[in-house]
Structure formats: structure tokens, C-alpha cells
Amino acid sequence: MQILEQRFLRGPNVHADSPCLLSVVDLEDLYGLSTHDIPGFNDTLLGLLPALGGARLSDGALGGFAQRLAAGTYLGRVIETVTLELQSLAGAPATFGRTRPVNGHPGQFRVVVAYTCEKLAEPAFDLAVDLVTALARGEAFALEPRLEELRGIAGRYAIGTSTAAVLAAAHERGIPTQRITEEANLFLLGWGVRQKRLQATTTGETSFIAVKIASDKQLTKALLKEAGVPVPEGDVVTTVEAAQRVARRLGVPVTLKPLDGNQGKGVTVACATPEDVALAFEFARGFGRRVIVERHVEGRDYRVLVACGRVAAASCRRPAHVLGDGNLTVRQLVEIENANPARGAGHATILTRITLDEHANDMLARQGVDVDSVLPVGVTAELRGNANLSTGGTAEDVTDQLPESTRLLCVRAAAKIGLDVAGIDIVCQDIAQPLAAQRGAVIEVNAAPGIRMHQYPSAGEPRDAGDAIVEGLMGNTDGRIPVIALTGTNGKTTTTLLVAHAARMAGKVTGVTTTEGVFIDGKQVVKGDCTGYWSARTVLGAPEVEVAVLETARGGILKRGLAFDRCDVAIVLNIAADHLGLDGVDTIEDLAQVKAVVAQSASKAVVLNAEDALCVQMARRVKPGAEVLFFSMDPESPVMLKHLEDGGRGAYLQDGAVVLADGHSQQALLRVESMPISFGGLARFNIANALAAAAGLMAANFNHLHIAAGLSTFVSNGRTNPLRTNMFDVRGVTVIVDYAHNPAAYAAMADMARGMLPGQLIGIVTAPGDRRDTDLEQVGRVCGERFDELVVYESQSRGREPGEAVDLILSGAEEVVGISDTLHRELEVGNAIRLGLSLCNPGDVLIFACGSSLQVFIDAIRISDPESAALIAAQTA
């Protein structure tokens, strides 16, 4: 069995709305085997992974996947199910899976499994393949060591509990989130100008200076005292002698802790003798060079969470402890407590495991016991001097007990330090009473406070501290900017740029992705084909972008899925045969399924081509509540007429004008001749693009004036829109350079060119070699019908023999015109361009199609006509 291909579909895709791992597996000699055909396979698999059996049925028989195993299922499906189960056992459960055969490749299957931890998905799938292969061959398999590796991966890349709570609150509010890297708990909340950053409970609004202040406990105390906040008296020392002197001066039990410590590390409380001070000093020095010695404040330990100017939650914290039962030792009681599933290592679980270390031994000794002592029934042994959850403590919610004076004091403390999110540590006898009345004090102010204790208290009412942080950070917005996503077979780049141009004319900073690159506010920041996942993320993550306009191509959807969970407006221009036979897309209906992913992602509106049956069918699959708008070149289109009769909105061409209809009225927006991209009304494909753009802008709430301004001022030339109907004059010959590469595009270009001049129409054409034979032949037939002279050159061969694609195109053309001296074969592109020009006379029109860049054309004619080459270069610079 082999894994032939793997890719992560990180956003909505043709299989699911959630992230998935897609793998292509060749079962090789195991192909055709069913699970009931392999002796012992089912029993061994269920023995290793008993959860696959599911609950027993009423008659005692196995349920769940065990039924499928017993009935007999193919091994590809078993790999899918085992992968999901392994992820669950590792601590990152996922539930969706799908397995389908690869057409034309017996034994190969596309296996799709969802994941919640990307770093875990691949090794889990690899383990599933190894396990299923071994069992199918009757071999023993040591699962546990490999499973432990998966658990390690899941733990290493797990999102912390506090971070997860904030993210859950963001998702509840519909705020998009994105993990910056899998290695760090650093997240982006929102998009563009509305984005905010988050790391645990530290936000992008958290002041660096405030964090530095909070990490210096003595400076914090000085500022709090200045603000009238009660703090314990004390001083900073670097020697044990100095620590003992401060303790004598204070004349009361003292607390020692490292000056810049955190999570309660190195803290010892209630030191009453010089010996206690000395031991505590050495313990604190293990966590920092300088040590604070301060008055020990008697009472219970409380944590108050302040988020963006208000108290969000408060908890009473209790140090790690065990309760005696008269039978078990302290060590045994700790082992039982640590077996609680809620306890784990670090911050990944609700509670943290209790550690029996030197500090715990010292605490026990103070109570006259040790780890091997049996505690009487009801007697408590404290194991920590501090009450932090990170050292095994527990918490009880006391939010409703806080008096107003304490709330105001905590808010003032956070503001004085300068923290937007702060954990205020208070020690007092009773949090329900004002601090001044009981000599209570604020002992610390913490940046990046953990919120586990508030979200999941051991007692009391849970508080949604994560939501409080999100509300303070994001206000009442969902963090989204308007996103307009465009797809289709032909016209995507031009329509994308047209929509973005209109948005910029309306004063919006746009982020744009196209096949030419990524553009921010009209300036190119990335060059190349940028119509996929990563390019869209570049735009959505740009902090200055107010509106995102994203060309979204077939390849990007299939390779990585969408970069957004949803867009506001989706525009689907058309569905025509292209790229068929690739990535499991074998028919035009399959291609429509891929493009429909964009339509289904729209939350507000979907713009569809009323004259394209496959586009029209997508109207039935849009999200509930999303409006459908149609555009049409034919004002009498039955789909458009019915839509308007039903009160729908759209855009159509009537009597040479772009008309916008809102269900109640129709307004002629502008004449098509006033749109530069219409080329005097001859470029009907660009008129269709303009109609789609107008409908999309209307759906995105741009007014008619803004739409008209955008349509009437956008120019498609070699500078603004390379390879999209770029026109040049070469000594009286009108040259059109365009990226046309499929039959529909060639037909549209030729039909436009025929209306321009009375002369001959010459085509220099090709198509990528990865297209099917029938598709290449159809290119030839379309071009043979429409061009007076045809030069076919070699584009990207993509696995074919040199000249093979050219010959297929020519064979298609010969079906139409026969063997003719008007058909020319010239593999090298430069020679083909020069040959095509040599066939032209002034007044003729030449179309050069499917070139990789304008520079290719310029370089080709520079050899024979340097003056014309220089003029074109100047026009496109």
C-alpha cells in the first residue's frame, strides 16, 4: 500500500466546510479485499481500537463501525475510520471522513479526513495505513508506542485552555480566527483593518511597558501604592542576611517570592523565623536573582480578572491539597487526585497535576507529616504555599460577592499598571467585605492571566472570561471586512480588478488577489498567480485593507480550500470546459461542483449568470438567508425575467445600456460604449463581466454612482490588466494579446475581433498540454472555424511529448477546414509570433493567445521590428 499524494484543505472545500487532509492511496495487492475476507482482521482491529465497535445493540451484537467490518468493507474506508479514531485517542477528535475511488485508476482511493490539529493529521494517517496494512497481511502490530507519539504531537501543538476559551468566544460571535503558526498560540482575530492579535490572554492592545511593569513586583507595588491601592509593606533583597533584616524590621510573618516570578513559582508564605526566611530565600533564588520580602497578609487567596476596564470574574483560589480518609498516605491521595481526567500537565487541561517536590515536602513538614503519612479522616494537608492553578490549586467562583469598592479598586489597579487584561491577586479574610476594613491587600498584578479558574471553577458559577476579553478587544463587531469572492472559468481577473477599481473609486482601501499577483490599495505586493489560499490570507491579514476582492480559481480550491470561512458576496461568472481530467474533476458538472464552493460560502449574496444553466443550478445551494442576484446579456432571459417578477435584484443589458434592477424599479446605469473595457461595445464578454461586477457591487451595498464611476473609468491594458484584451498597433495591424486558452475564451475573442476591422483575422494559439486530447482538439475546431490564418505553437507541454499538443489542436482545426495552407505549425513561441505577423497586412487583426507574459510578445517582435517593440514596452511599463 502506498500514499501517492497528500494535501491539507485548510478551508471550505468540495468535501466539507471544515479543514481536511486529502490523501490518495494505492492499495496495490490489497485492492479488492474486503474486511470479511481477511481472517482475524476484524477481531484484531477491534481489539486494538475497541471504540470502533460502538455501543452494543439491543440483541448484544456489536454496533457502530463493527457492523460494517462484519458485513465487509474495503480497506480504504477502514483507513479513513481508523485515522479519525487515532486522532481522537491522541486528544484531538475529528469526525468527518469520506473515501472515493479515483476514476480510471483501479486500486487508488481519495481518502478525506477532518482534523482539528494539523500537525497530527498526517502522522495519524500514516499510522492508520501502517496498521491496516499489517493486519491485512496477518502481521502483529505494536500500536501503543506509535499512539503515544501521536499523543505527544497533540500535546505539543495543543491550544492552551485560556486561549481556547477566548477563541470559542470569538467563534460564538462569528469572528474569524486564524492561527499564525502551528507552533505558537498566536492568533489573528478578524480581518484587515478590523483585525486584532491574541496570544493566550495577551492582546495586541496590551502595552509592552505595562507587561514589563507587571513583571517587576516592587515597581508594581510602588505604582499601586501611589494610586491608593493597599499593598503589603516590604523590600527587595539579594542576600539571605538582607532578607532576615527586612523580616525583623517588619516584625510580622513575611512572604518571600522572586521579584520577576510568575505562576506562583518560588513563593513561600508565613515565614515566622530566621530559619524559615533563609529556606524561603534559597527557594525563591531558584527562580530569580532578586527576592521580595513583604508582610504576610493573612487570609484567603483571590484572583480578580479585569478585562478592558471592567471586572469580568473573581475566584477564591485554594492551594494544592489532599483530604485524609484514614487509610491512604499523602502520596496515594495525590496519585488518586492526579488520575482525575481534568488534571494534566501544564495549561492544556482544566486543572494541573499536583507535584510532590521539595517545596511540597517542606509544606508537609510544617504540618508535621510527610508523603508517607496517613491522614486522619477529614484532615487536610496543604501541598503548596501559593494557590495558583498552575501548581495544582483549585478555584471557586466568588464574582457576585465582590463589593463595588473592591471592583473599582481592581479596575484602578489594572489601569495604573496599563494593562487591558489583568489578573489582580488579593489576599483578605473575606472578599465580600471592603479590603480596608480587614487589612487586605493587592499582592500582585498579572499580565496574561490564566482564565481556567473562571471558565471551569471547581465550585460556583462558571464565568465566560473568554467572552469578556473578546468583547473588550473587538467591541460589538465581528471583526470582518467586506469580502467579495469571484470564480468562474473565463473573465475572473478582469472582473476582480473591475470590482476592486470601483471600490477604490468609492474611497475604500482594497486588497486584491488575481492571476497577476496580490495588490494592496492598487500597489502590487506579490507577483505571480495568486488565486489560492495563501494569497487570500495575505490580503485578509493586511492591516490596512477595508475591502477584500478575491479571485478564487479552481486550482486553489482543490489544493488548499478557501482561505475564508465565508464571504459576503460570491460572484460566479460562467462554467465552461477547462482543466477537465485533473484532480478528480472529469466533467463540466464536476467543475461546477468546485466553483460552487465559492457560491456556498457567501453569507449575504450570490451573483450568478442567468444564461449559464450550471450557474443557475447553484441558486438552490446557497446559504439560508443569502440573496441571489442574476446578471444577463439577454434582457429576455427566462431566468432573469422570472427572478425580477419575484422581486429579485440583478443586472442586465438592454438597448446598449447596463441596467440595474432592484425588484421594484430598473435604472439604466450607463451606456456600454462609455465603458473602456467594452471596446466600443464589441467585447461582449467584458460587458458580461461588467454586469457581474455591477450586480456584485450592488449586493455589497455600493451605490449606483460608485458603480457607474468604477465601470466608466476602468481601463484594461498592458499596464492595468496584462494579458486581458491588451490592444496594440503594429504598423497598421491591430494586435490583441490575451490569455485565452480554452474553447469558450477563443470563441469570445474571435467574435469580438471580427467586428473590429474589415481585414483578415489571424490567430496565434495554443493550450496547456495537461488538457485532455478531446479538449485540445476542440480548441482546434473552435479556432479553425473562426480564424482566417492559424498559427499553433507549443505552450507548457506538462507531461506530453514535444509537439503532441500542437498536433492535437491542428487535427481539430483540420476537421473544420481540411488540410489547408492556412494552418501553420510552429512550436517555438517567438517564431510563431513573427510568422503570425508576417501573415498580416495593415487593417488585419492578430490575436496572440495564451502567452505567459507580454514580454514574450515584445521580445519576439524586437528581433524583426525593434521600433514597435519599444513602443509597446513603453505602453506597458
Side-chain angles (χ1 to χ4, degrees):
M1 194 182 304
Q2 284 191 69
I3 301 173
L4 303 179
E5 178 188 351
Q6 284 187 311
R7 65 178 70 159
F8 287 103
L9 304 174
R10 295 186 170 93
N13 54 77
V14 293
H15 307 287
D17 289 335
S18 56
C20 299
L21 172 67
L22 182 150
S23 306
V24 178
V25 177
D26 190 337
L27 299 183
E28 297 181 325
D29 59 320
L30 298 177
Y31 176 53
L33 286 180
S34 174
T35 52
H36 66 60
D37 297 329
I38 307 172
F41 180 90
N42 295 348
D43 291 341
T44 306
L45 180 63
L46 293 174
L48 290 170
L49 300 172
L52 292 181
R56 291 272 178 176
L57 303 178
S58 57
D59 60 359
L62 284 174
F65 189 64
Q67 287 183 307
R68 286 180 176 265
L69 291 172
T73 189
Y74 52 90
L75 296 184
R77 180 64 193 278
V78 177
I79 291 169
E80 168 205 319
T81 307
V82 169
T83 302
L84 293 171
E85 175 62 13
L86 291 173
Q87 290 184 91
S88 181
L89 291 173
T95 56
F96 172 78
R98 173 179 291 169
T99 302
R100 296 287 185 272
V102 177
N103 289 341
H105 297 276
Q108 293 184 16
F109 293 85
R110 285 188 178 86
V111 183
V112 178
V113 289
Y115 63 84
T116 55
C117 175
E118 183 170 300
K119 292 290 186 180
L120 179 68
E122 249 185 79
F125 190 87
D126 292 347
L127 175 53
V129 169
D130 291 347
L131 172 61
V132 171
T133 302
L135 299 190
R137 299 189 189 287
E139 300 169 358
F141 193 87
L143 176 61
E144 193 55 38
R146 296 277 298 275
L147 188 54
E148 196 58 34
E149 290 177 15
L150 293 187
R151 293 190 181 104
I153 294 170
R156 193 155 57 248
Y157 296 103
I159 297 171
T161 308
S162 293
T163 308
V166 180
L167 294 176
H171 293 156
E172 187 68 23
R173 289 169 174 258
I175 298 169
T177 65
Q178 172 189 310
R179 194 171 190 174
I180 304 300
T181 71
E182 290 295 312
E183 287 74 20
N185 272 346
L186 180 62
F187 288 83
L188 198 67
L189 274 59
W191 294 328
V193 294
R194 292 185 176 177
Q195 68 181 273
K196 303 290 184 180
R197 289 188 176 92
L198 175 82
Q199 187 167 41
T201 59
T202 301
T203 77
E205 309 300 303
T206 303
S207 162
F208 174 76
I209 292 177
V211 173
K212 294 291 286 184
I213 291 171
S215 67
D216 186 327
K217 293 178 172 55
Q218 191 66 8
L219 177 56
T220 297
K221 285 172 58 177
L223 289 173
L224 294 180
K225 185 176 181 180
E226 182 179 274
V229 176
V231 294
E233 305 87 350
D235 211 343
V236 179
V237 300
T238 56
T239 67
V240 66
E241 293 79 13
Q244 291 168 331
R245 281 196 301 273
V246 173
R248 283 196 301 271
R249 174 166 58 79
L250 293 174
V252 291
V254 293
T255 293
L256 281 80
K257 54 190 175 185
L259 177 65
D260 55 357
N262 57 41
Q263 299 179 357
K265 295 173 183 174
V267 178
T268 307
V269 300
C271 300
T273 68
E275 292 76 20
D276 289 343
V277 171
L279 286 172
F281 177 84
E282 291 303 323
F283 181 55
R285 277 292 295 269
F287 298 92
R289 190 176 63 84
R290 294 187 293 170
V291 175
I292 288 182
V293 183
E294 63 185 20
R295 172 176 65 88
H296 172 62
V297 183
E298 289 289 346
R300 304 179 74 182
D301 189 299
Y302 298 92
R303 163 65 65 82
V304 179
L305 177 70
V306 175
C308 303
R310 70 179 184 88
V311 169
S315 296
C316 177
R317 301 186 295 178
R318 184 166 184 186
H321 64 280
V322 290
L323 183 66
D325 64 355
N327 294 311
L328 301 176
T329 66
V330 170
R331 189 192 307 277
Q332 291 169 323
L333 291 170
V334 169
E335 289 174 354
I336 291 172
E337 179 59 30
N338 282 341
N340 180 351
R343 289 192 181 271
H347 299 264
T349 49
I350 296 172
L351 297 172
T352 300
R353 292 193 187 103
I354 299 170
T355 302
L356 289 177
D357 55 11
E358 185 177 343
H359 186 55
N361 292 334
D362 180 58
M363 287 293 298
L364 290 169
R366 293 187 187 198
Q367 299 164 76
V369 295
D370 59 30
V371 294
D372 295 317
S373 298
V374 175
L375 298 178
V377 176
V379 173
T380 297
E382 303 285 349
L383 298 167
R384 274 290 181 278
N386 63 76
N388 295 66
L389 262 68
S390 57
T391 56
T394 57
E396 175 185 354
D397 178 72
V398 295
T399 306
D400 293 337
Q401 298 180 35
L402 259 65
E404 187 63 20
S405 62
T406 303
R407 290 174 180 269
L408 293 174
L409 180 148
C410 290
V411 170
R412 191 164 70 252
K416 184 65 177 180
I417 302 306
L419 290 169
D420 60 328
V421 180
I424 313 297
D425 288 347
I426 297 174
V427 175
C428 64
Q429 295 294 340
D430 182 3
I431 197 66
Q433 303 301 318
L435 294 188
Q438 53 183 321
R439 290 205 74 197
V442 173
I443 60 171
E444 281 188 30
V445 176
N446 300 274
I451 59 175
R452 287 186 295 171
M453 70 187 78
H454 308 303
Q455 296 280 152
Y456 313 105
S458 300
E461 182 180 346
R463 305 288 173 169
D464 197 343
D467 187 68
I469 292 172
V470 172
E471 182 177 341
L473 187 62
M474 307 298 295
N476 60 0
T477 76
D478 61 7
R480 295 175 183 269
I481 60 173
V483 175
I484 303 173
L486 298 96
T487 194
T489 302
N490 294 313
K492 296 187 296 296
T493 298
T494 297
T495 311
T496 297
L497 292 174
L498 179 52
V499 170
H501 174 76
R504 287 190 69 210
M505 292 288 290
K508 299 296 184 181
V509 176
T510 59
V512 182
T513 63
T514 74
T515 52
E516 293 301 313
V518 175
F519 300 83
I520 305 296
D521 201 23
K523 300 176 180 63
Q524 189 172 49
V525 297
V526 181
K527 187 173 178 59
D529 187 345
C530 297
T531 56
Y533 176 88
W534 293 110
S535 302
R537 268 187 54 164
T538 297
V539 165
L540 296 174
E544 65 270 50
V545 170
E546 296 174 311
V547 176
V549 187
L550 308 174
E551 180 181 343
T552 309
R554 169 209 63 91
I557 299 170
L558 291 171
K559 289 175 183 175
R560 290 289 178 263
L562 301 181
F564 43 87
D565 60 335
R566 67 175 190 257
C567 62
D568 293 272
V569 178
I571 301 174
V572 186
L573 298 172
N574 45 63
I575 308 294
D578 199 8
H579 299 279
L580 301 182
L582 302 173
D583 297 309
V585 179
D586 300 313
T587 67
I588 194 168
E589 289 76 19
D590 293 339
L591 184 60
Q593 292 281 350
V594 177
K595 307 290 186 180
V597 172
V598 179
Q600 291 170 290
S601 75
S603 61
K604 293 182 179 178
V606 179
V607 176
L608 300 171
N609 188 337
E611 299 172 70
D612 188 312
L614 291 173
C615 286
V616 173
Q617 290 174 18
M618 294 180 192
R620 300 196 298 266
R621 300 167 57 187
V622 302
K623 288 183 184 297
E627 178 188 8
V628 174
L629 295 87
F630 283 107
F631 70 94
S632 175
M633 293 286 286
D634 178 8
E636 301 301 318
S637 159
V639 171
M640 177 62 81
L641 289 175
K642 177 68 166 59
H643 182 67
L644 296 179
E645 287 172 6
D646 293 340
R649 295 196 295 169
Y652 57 89
L653 178 68
Q654 186 169 46
D655 299 329
V658 172
V659 178
L660 294 184
D662 65 2
H664 305 290
S665 62
Q666 294 79 40
Q667 179 178 337
L669 193 67
L670 77 170
R671 301 287 303 172
V672 295
E673 295 87 350
S674 66
M675 298 189 303
I677 63 167
S678 77
F679 295 98
L682 294 174
R684 290 183 62 81
F685 54 89
N686 270 346
I687 297 173
N689 292 337
L691 292 170
L697 288 162
M698 181 168 62
N701 297 323
F702 286 86
N703 63 45
H704 288 190
L705 289 176
H706 289 148
I707 299 170
L711 298 185
S712 63
T713 57
F714 178 69
V715 177
S716 179
N717 58 31
R719 186 178 295 110
T720 62
N721 194 14
L723 299 179
R724 270 74 187 178
T725 325
N726 303 154
M727 289 195 186
F728 309 100
D729 180 85
V730 179
R731 302 192 183 279
V733 176
T734 298
V735 174
I736 303 173
V737 181
D738 193 90
Y739 191 60
H741 59 279
N742 59 56
Y746 276 122
M749 289 301 303
D751 292 347
M752 178 198 73
R754 275 293 178 196
M756 296 182 66
L757 291 170
Q760 296 281 306
L761 179 59
I762 293 88
I764 306 171
V765 306
T766 190
D770 58 358
R771 300 323 193 247
R772 299 175 305 179
D773 291 2
T774 56
D775 299 325
L776 294 170
E777 289 166 348
Q778 180 62 15
V779 167
R781 283 189 285 270
V782 167
C783 292
E785 287 175 346
R786 287 167 173 79
F787 290 94
D788 299 310
E789 297 272 358
L790 191 64
V791 180
V792 184
Y793 71 96
E794 179 84 296
S795 178
Q796 300 154 311
S797 58
R798 296 183 180 177
R800 289 186 182 271
E801 291 297 319
E804 183 181 352
V806 171
D807 293 337
L808 286 166
I809 294 172
L810 285 170
S811 69
E814 288 171 355
E815 289 179 27
V816 176
V817 301
I819 298 175
S820 170
D821 58 6
T822 61
L823 303 180
H824 308 273
R825 183 181 192 271
E826 181 55 71
L827 299 188
E828 201 277 319
V829 62
N831 291 336
I833 291 170
R834 289 186 289 274
L835 173 58
L837 278 169
S838 73
L839 299 172
C840 295
N841 295 306
D844 290 345
V845 179
L846 170 72
I847 294 177
F848 168 54
C850 199
S852 58
S853 69
L854 278 170
Q855 193 61 46
V856 170
F857 184 78
I858 294 169
D859 290 343
I861 68 170
R862 182 176 286 118
I863 295 173
S864 56
D865 189 353
E867 183 178 348
S868 294
L871 287 172
I872 295 173
Q875 293 173 40
T876 59

